[in-house]
Amino acid sequence: MASATAAWVCPPTRPEQIENLVSGVDRYNPNNVGILEDYLYHQIRSEEYDCLANLAILKLYQFNPDLYNPDVVINILLKALTSSPFPDFNLCVSLLDDRPPNPNLDEPDPLPELLSTLTALNTLLHQCRFPAFWSLYYSDDLQTLRDNYTVECVGFEDSVRDIVIRAVKATFTRIGSKRLGSYLSLDGGDLVSYIDNLGWQLDSSTAVIAVPPNPDNQISSTVIQENIKLPQLTKIIAHETLTV
Amino acid sequence: MSQQRPALWAAEDEIEEDFQGVDMNLAIGNYGQNGMYDDVQSRIDEAALLAVQQQMAQQAAFAQIPDTVKRFIVHFHQAVLNNNLEEITVAYESGWTRLTEKFYAKTEWPEAEVIAPLVNDDPIFLILYRELYYRHVYSRLQPNIDDRFHSYENSCELFNYLLNSEGPVPLDLPEQWLWDIIDEFIYQFQSYCVWRSRVKNKSDEELAMLQEAAQASVNIENLIIINFSLDLCRLVDQALLSLVWSAYSVLNVLYSLIQKSKINEYIAAQQQGKTEEELAEIVGEYGSRPLYRMLGYFSIIGLLRVHTMLGDFTLALKVMEGVELNQKTPFTRVTACHVATYYYVGFCYIMLQRYPDAIRTFVSVLNFILRMRQYHTRSYQYDQINKTADRMYALFAICNALSPSRVDDNILNVVKERYGEQSAKMTRGEEGIPAFEELFIYACPKFISANPPPYEDPSLLPLHLNLTEPAQRHLSLFLSSVRSQLSVPTLRSFLKLYTSLDAKKLAGFVDADEEEMVQGMMAMKMGCRSVVGGGVGGQVGRGEGTLQAESGKGLLEGTLVSTSDLDFVIAENMVHIVESTVGRRYAGWFIRNTEHAQRVLDSVKNSRLPTPPQKAAPPGPAAPAEAAAKVGQKVTWGGVKVA
């Protein structure tokens, strides 16, 4: 079985310079924050994702409050949202120390307000409440988030749809197209072409989509037998050799 | 003679009238007779007067030190001078503890300046003495701000000596002490951070000192940071002294020790099975000395802890990349370190929502503690280990509620005993949240904020009066992930009754909207899949298991597996359910009883045969054999019942 976390621990797209930063003590050098921030914006433009590199930015912010840049933090959180059901979002928030708003700033810090919105979005994704996610996401209250942030984040909505597809693939063998449409926030021709792209079959008479078989939606009952490992027997064997 | 000494003062009764061959006058030197009084007569300026007063105070303090303690310090110093590990260990582990109980249970030990004459002002010994002195203050008394600053300075001096002397220092200390040095350094850092973050109830003097520290750190931090990646060790120098307990300085020390000792290279080479000579070649002059090697290893564990306290759970596990967690490496000899390692690794796994890995980690070390219990009741760290173990049982209860699985019965029984009530609550949906909260807050590590409140700008301080504690922040993050799985136990209990079931019917059972319930089932399905590292699906060995299947792969690695014995799939509106069953396990039972039988047989074989009755002509080999068989049988069956 291939490691599920290899790409997360070290994405194949990660440049060597970043790898050295992430794995060495250079990650603590605040002079490197620019390199990591540039890399974040590169991720945003090219639909890549590197959680550990982004956590390194937050780490530098944690130690050097002067470096703090709310836009960067929000972008990191947006990227982390799309890795649900993995807990990346929470891991990022863990690194945000609680700080009262600094009254000396020229502009108000947009993060505190957006953080609660993003947390709500994350919760909905985590609970697989996809229709609720979309209605919150498209609500008027989130206009600023959409206009200022997610619009820059290439493929944000599609990566949310990837989360939906992961959950649906695991849970369903067949699913009504209306239901799937509500999860994906797609309907009509968009939905049909999205399903076509996935290579899934839509039965037009019943409007039911067949989800291709995969290890998660092929269930079978098994009886697990125990395996005795040699270390369990060391005491007994050692004793035998002693007495012989 | 040298063998006897520690036993003598470590014994219950001291020999008051005998200095055991140590000439106190010699040891004290010409204290107080260095011509100071002549000067006093001629010109008494303020400084001299102060010095004299100080000296007189010190003399008075010196006079008050019980002779036993003086003798102890002299012996202790000798042991350190001779690098006599055995004697140092006795002095460190029992002598110090015993005298603390007897004379210093509620007060400080004599200050280092006061006892200096006893040890010929040996600066190294005085640093080590202060290390113990401050540790005692922190553990038994309330450290004041001076203690906090001075203990930091002393730690800096110690690490400076270790890292910036010319070549490795010729000092040998017991492994336990080395662990305690690192452990205490981080504890004091954490304690300082917590104290510093509470803006309330600070005296003016404290505020002034904190302000000064904050300003100094602004000036010096830049310097430090620029050099950080250039030469770590050079930084553990005077500049650091002004950066009292900053996160940078603590990390600096730990990384310096890791680099200097080349511990990661050592572990990697060891895993590749390199010979002793090759190892020595690789790790160089520092790393081949046990003192540096152990400090290096303990620093890795220290980093694990510091990063966990700062809320960086991925980095915490990442620094452990090279370390192979099992109970066979020599690094596990220090039990406190071993237990702490597993505690922090397990906790990080919880925050990464990798509950099966957390369970595996806790089971492994809790079994270890159960088995070691009989050997450790004497250790002065027994209490601490027990406390950590109890926290791990609580964390285990949390994990088991979130990812029920077949686990070690021994551990589960203890959990039921200690946290049965909470465990039951945690399966009851929203109602169970307080139980999660209670256990999490009890069992989580101490969290800290990386940055102090802005003491340099008093106008901003009031804003920091009512900040949430870091622990509360992590708690709410944890609860948010718990909440997505709250409906699972109820759904599970219904699913268990069917092989297929209409979604609408199920929604009726749980009194929920059908669409919402289907989404809940998706969340449940996703929640039943978890990243698991190491021996995937492997049975949790009885504490023997390695946490890593293949060496060279970090603790962050893992594969996605299904963790639930109940699986289901939805075809349109029909839920199909299957349940995996686990065949009965016999191995453990047979192994336990075989081991038991072996022990019984041994004791039967080793016990004396009953003296044969006088009159019986042939001793009759049949009779004793029969008796032995009888005894054996009886005991064996008794053992079965117990097991």
Side-chain angles (χ1 to χ4, degrees), chain A residues 2-5 26 28 30 55 59 62 96-98 170-174 179 183 216 222-224 226 239-240, chain B residues 225 229 248 255 307 310 312 314 450-451 468 473 515 525 529 557-559 570-572 580-581 583 586-587 602:
Chain A
S3 164
T5 52
D26 247 2
Y28 299 104
L55 286 172
K59 187 91 192 167
Q62 187 185 33
L96 303 174
D97 270 359
D98 255 323
T171 317
F172 290 88
T173 51
R174 284 178 299 134
R179 177 176 276 164
Y183 292 173
D216 288 315
T222 46
V223 179
I224 300 159
E226 71 178 327
H239 186 272
E240 280 311 311
Chain B
I225 285 156
S229 41
Y248 261 116
Y255 275 108
H307 288 315
L310 288 164
D312 200 339
T314 33
N451 291 293
T468 356
R473 233 157 29 84
E515 189 48 49
K525 183 98 185 186
R529 290 145 42 91
E557 298 284 349
T559 41
I570 307 176
E572 227 176 322
S580 294
T581 43
Y586 298 105
D602 280 351

Side-chain angles (χ1 to χ4, degrees), chain B residues 114 224 253 282:
Chain B
V114 175
I224 299 257
V253 166
I282 289 166

Side-chain angles (χ1 to χ4, degrees), chain B residues 320-393:
Chain B
M320 295 285 292
E321 230 163 19
V323 180
E324 202 173 353
L325 283 190
N326 64 37
Q327 283 153 14
K328 293 192 185 88
T329 64
F331 298 116
T332 59
R333 280 197 298 254
V334 178
T335 310
C337 165
H338 188 54
V339 171
T341 309
Y342 279 66
Y343 168 71
Y344 287 105
V345 167
F347 185 81
C348 286
Y349 275 138
I350 294 183
M351 297 313 270
L352 284 162
Q353 295 176 25
R354 287 169 62 167
Y355 306 116
D357 280 332
I359 289 179
R360 214 156 37 95
T361 311
F362 294 137
V363 165
S364 161
V365 74
L366 287 172
N367 269 314
F368 169 81
I369 294 172
L370 280 180
R371 273 183 297 148
M372 296 304 275
R373 192 162 48 182
Q374 47 189 322
Y375 306 110
H376 282 279
T377 39
R378 291 170 293 130
S379 158
Y380 67 106
Q381 292 198 312
Y382 180 68
D383 280 351
Q384 189 54 45
I385 289 170
N386 258 353
K387 269 183 210 155
T388 312
D390 196 56
R391 292 208 172 96
M392 287 195 279
Y393 281 115

Side-chain angles (χ1 to χ4, degrees), chain B residues 36-243:
Chain B
M36 183 66 102
Y37 290 116
D38 305 333
D39 284 352
V40 169
Q41 293 300 332
S42 50
R43 41 177 190 140
I44 304 176
D45 58 22
E46 202 120 308
L49 185 66
L50 221 69
V52 171
Q53 280 171 346
Q54 206 179 351
Q55 198 159 14
M56 280 164 65
Q58 283 186 3
Q59 268 176 322
F62 185 82
Q64 280 176 6
I65 303 175
D67 285 345
T68 335
V69 174
K70 285 180 187 161
R71 269 203 304 280
F72 167 73
I73 289 169
V74 171
H75 282 303
F76 199 174
H77 178 224
Q78 270 308 315
V80 171
L81 276 187
N82 300 338
N83 270 343
N84 185 335
L85 264 188
E86 207 176 310
E87 279 194 31
I88 302 176
T89 309
V90 178
Y92 176 74
E93 290 193 357
S94 52
W96 180 271
T97 323
R98 186 183 299 274
L99 293 174
T100 298
E101 289 303 334
K102 184 152 187 189
F103 298 108
Y104 304 108
K106 292 193 179 75
T107 55
E108 292 95 349
W109 273 70
E111 287 192 21
E113 288 71 25
V114 175
I115 61 113
L118 285 173
V119 298
N120 297 327
D121 293 316
D122 178 350
I124 307 308
F125 183 80
L126 288 178
I127 291 176
L128 293 173
Y129 178 83
R130 279 193 205 101
E131 201 272 321
L132 294 172
Y133 171 91
Y134 286 116
R135 199 190 310 167
H136 172 248
V137 171
Y138 275 85
S139 72
R140 296 293 188 101
L141 316 161
Q142 269 295 326
N144 62 28
I145 187 165
D146 285 328
D147 291 327
R148 292 180 189 279
F149 279 50
H150 290 152
S151 72
Y152 174 77
E153 276 167 29
N154 190 57
S155 301
C156 284
E157 275 178 43
L158 175 61
F159 292 123
N160 206 11
Y161 165 68
L162 293 172
L163 292 166
N164 293 325
S165 299
E166 287 183 15
V169 300
L171 183 70
D172 271 324
L173 291 180
E175 287 170 1
Q176 179 68 53
W177 194 352
L178 295 175
W179 162 253
D180 290 337
I181 287 174
I182 300 291
D183 189 51
E184 182 68 14
F185 180 58
I186 296 169
Y187 169 75
Q188 291 178 5
F189 165 60
Q190 170 236 308
S191 162
Y192 180 82
C193 288
V194 170
W195 173 79
R196 168 182 79 175
S197 67
R198 300 208 173 106
V199 179
K200 266 182 225 167
N201 304 328
K202 291 269 184 290
S203 71
D204 288 344
E205 185 204 1
E206 286 171 338
L207 284 174
M209 282 176 86
L210 283 166
Q211 186 178 357
E212 200 183 317
Q215 275 157 357
S217 76
V218 172
N219 298 331
I220 285 165
E221 199 149 90
N222 290 327
L223 181 99
I224 299 257
I225 285 156
I226 292 161
N227 285 316
F228 196 90
S229 41
L230 295 178
D231 183 356
L232 285 167
C233 301
R234 206 190 305 150
L235 288 171
V236 189
D237 212 331
Q238 287 306 309
L240 269 190
L241 285 181
S242 347
L243 267 185

Side-chain angles (χ1 to χ4, degrees), chain B residues 548-563:
Chain B
Q548 273 170 280
E550 302 149 66
S551 53
K553 282 200 159 194
L555 295 174
L556 285 174
E557 298 284 349
T559 41
L560 208 54
V561 297
S562 167
T563 57

Side-chain angles (χ1 to χ4, degrees), chain B residues 464-476:
Chain B
H464 287 256
L465 278 175
N466 295 312
L467 281 190
T468 356
E469 299 253 333
Q472 289 298 325
R473 233 157 29 84
H474 292 289
L475 170 69
S476 68

Side-chain angles (χ1 to χ4, degrees), chain A residues 107-243:
Chain A
E107 300 170 36
D109 182 352
L111 181 65
E113 197 194 323
L114 280 178
L115 183 59
S116 57
T117 312
L118 290 170
T119 308
L121 288 174
N122 178 57
T123 307
L124 292 174
L125 281 183
H126 215 76
Q127 298 178 342
C128 295
R129 294 176 56 198
F130 304 120
F133 172 87
W134 292 115
S135 65
L136 175 61
Y137 176 70
Y138 287 123
S139 68
D140 294 341
D141 293 346
L142 271 65
Q143 181 98 30
T144 32
L145 181 74
R146 289 197 306 275
D147 290 353
N148 297 329
Y149 296 100
T150 53
V151 71
E152 306 283 342
C153 185
V154 176
F156 175 77
E157 286 157 32
D158 276 337
S159 42
V160 172
R161 290 191 182 104
D162 288 342
I163 301 173
V164 174
I165 294 302
R166 278 201 292 272
V168 167
K169 257 170 77 177
T171 317
F172 290 88
T173 51
R174 284 178 299 134
I175 181 169
S177 63
K178 198 166 150 253
R179 177 176 276 164
L180 184 60
S182 73
Y183 292 173
L184 291 169
S185 179
L186 292 172
D187 51 14
D190 291 342
L191 180 63
V192 172
S193 65
Y194 194 89
I195 293 165
D196 274 352
N197 273 337
L198 287 171
W200 292 6
Q201 298 297 320
L202 170 65
D203 183 338
S204 44
S205 60
T206 55
V208 168
I209 299 155
V211 180
N214 62 70
D216 288 315
N217 71 1
Q218 299 294 98
I219 55 167
S220 62
S221 61
T222 46
V223 179
I224 300 159
Q225 297 294 353
E226 71 178 327
N227 290 315
I228 303 167
K229 300 214 178 75
L230 194 59
Q232 288 176 272
L233 299 172
T234 39
K235 252 195 197 166
I236 296 174
I237 296 168
H239 186 272
E240 280 311 311
T241 46
L242 264 185
T243 44

